[in-house]
Amino acid sequence: MNLHMIRRLYATNEALHRRLWASIEQLTDEQFVQEVPYSIGSVRNHMVHLASVDQRWLNRVADQPLPDRLRYEDYPTKAAAREVWEEAQAQVRAVLATLTEVHLTRTLTFDIQRPNSSWPITITVAVWQVLMHVLNHGTDHRAQVLRLLHDFGAPTFEQDWMIHWWEAGR
């Protein structure tokens, strides 16, 4: 894993999330916050969760204090959730800009607390593993949101990375 690849993967992740936001904009604010009985609930919850998780993991990578988890109810509209997501993406880009190849193999040790479980656990991982986890997490939640958008009748799209790269290169 090299830094150039990591940055390219993150640029793709951000581009696909921006495309997701374009679809989300087709929802009303009521649809955006409507609870659904799957995963973490509403489209809003997914998007705020992504911003929160990205901020927390990238703070670990940057050796910064962990911010509090974002509370879904603090973002009652698409505009409010989009704003916090944009802030998180700016932070991601800023941290990625400071990394060197050496940073990728540095190890981090920290406790992870999982709500409603017997955790915390202590883990030791390389920075590149954290960065890949964040990408995978984003793909997972983007897929869940795409399904929710489909159920609301909003436009969806193919999120296959190879298709994105092929279309971007045309």
Side-chain angles (χ1 to χ4, degrees), residues 63-117:
D63 291 323
Q64 297 296 317
L66 287 184
D68 291 335
R69 285 184 175 88
L70 299 174
R71 295 170 1 119
Y72 306 138
E73 58 273 12
D74 292 342
Y75 305 93
T77 64
K78 293 178 292 186
R82 178 73 184 258
E83 184 177 333
V84 76
W85 181 83
E86 291 288 354
E87 291 168 5
Q89 288 309 296
Q91 177 189 358
V92 168
R93 288 189 303 274
V95 171
L96 289 175
T98 68
L99 295 181
T100 66
E101 293 288 338
V102 172
H103 285 111
L104 296 180
T105 57
R106 183 173 58 93
T107 58
L108 304 172
T109 300
F110 45 83
D111 293 331
I112 295 180
Q113 176 64 50
R114 194 167 171 87
N116 305 318
S117 74

Side-chain angles (χ1 to χ4, degrees), residues 7-164:
R7 287 180 176 145
R8 183 168 183 201
L9 292 170
Y10 268 82
T12 299
N13 192 58
E14 182 176 345
L16 290 170
H17 279 336
R18 288 189 183 286
R19 199 165 170 195
L20 186 65
W21 272 109
S23 293
I24 290 169
E25 289 300 328
Q26 305 306 304
L27 301 178
T28 65
D29 280 330
E30 292 76 24
Q31 290 172 315
F32 183 66
V33 300
Q34 181 178 322
E35 282 303 316
V36 294
Y38 178 72
S39 185
I40 59 174
S42 68
V43 173
R44 182 260 324 263
N45 291 6
H46 283 275
M47 301 313 290
V48 171
H49 173 73
L50 283 170
S52 187
V53 167
D54 286 4
Q55 286 176 340
R56 291 173 60 81
W57 281 111
L58 272 288
N59 271 42
R60 286 181 173 106
V61 167
D63 291 323
Q64 297 296 317
L66 287 184
D68 291 335
R69 285 184 175 88
L70 299 174
R71 295 170 1 119
Y72 306 138
E73 58 273 12
D74 292 342
Y75 305 93
T77 64
K78 293 178 292 186
R82 178 73 184 258
E83 184 177 333
V84 76
W85 181 83
E86 291 288 354
E87 291 168 5
Q89 288 309 296
Q91 177 189 358
V92 168
R93 288 189 303 274
V95 171
L96 289 175
T98 68
L99 295 181
T100 66
E101 293 288 338
V102 172
H103 285 111
L104 296 180
T105 57
R106 183 173 58 93
T107 58
L108 304 172
T109 300
F110 45 83
D111 293 331
I112 295 180
Q113 176 64 50
R114 194 167 171 87
N116 305 318
S117 74
S118 61
W119 294 21
I121 62 170
T122 301
I123 65 172
T124 300
V125 293
V127 166
W128 74 265
Q129 290 173 300
V130 169
L131 295 173
M132 293 306 295
H133 164 71
V134 172
L135 291 171
N136 186 60
H137 181 259
T139 299
D140 177 35
H141 281 281
R142 192 169 47 248
Q144 293 180 49
V145 171
L146 283 166
R147 172 56 199 259
L148 296 176
L149 290 170
H150 169 79
D151 291 349
F152 282 121
T156 61
F157 57 91
E158 173 63 59
Q159 72 156 342
D160 188 292
W161 290 42
M162 290 302 282
I163 292 171
H164 172 78

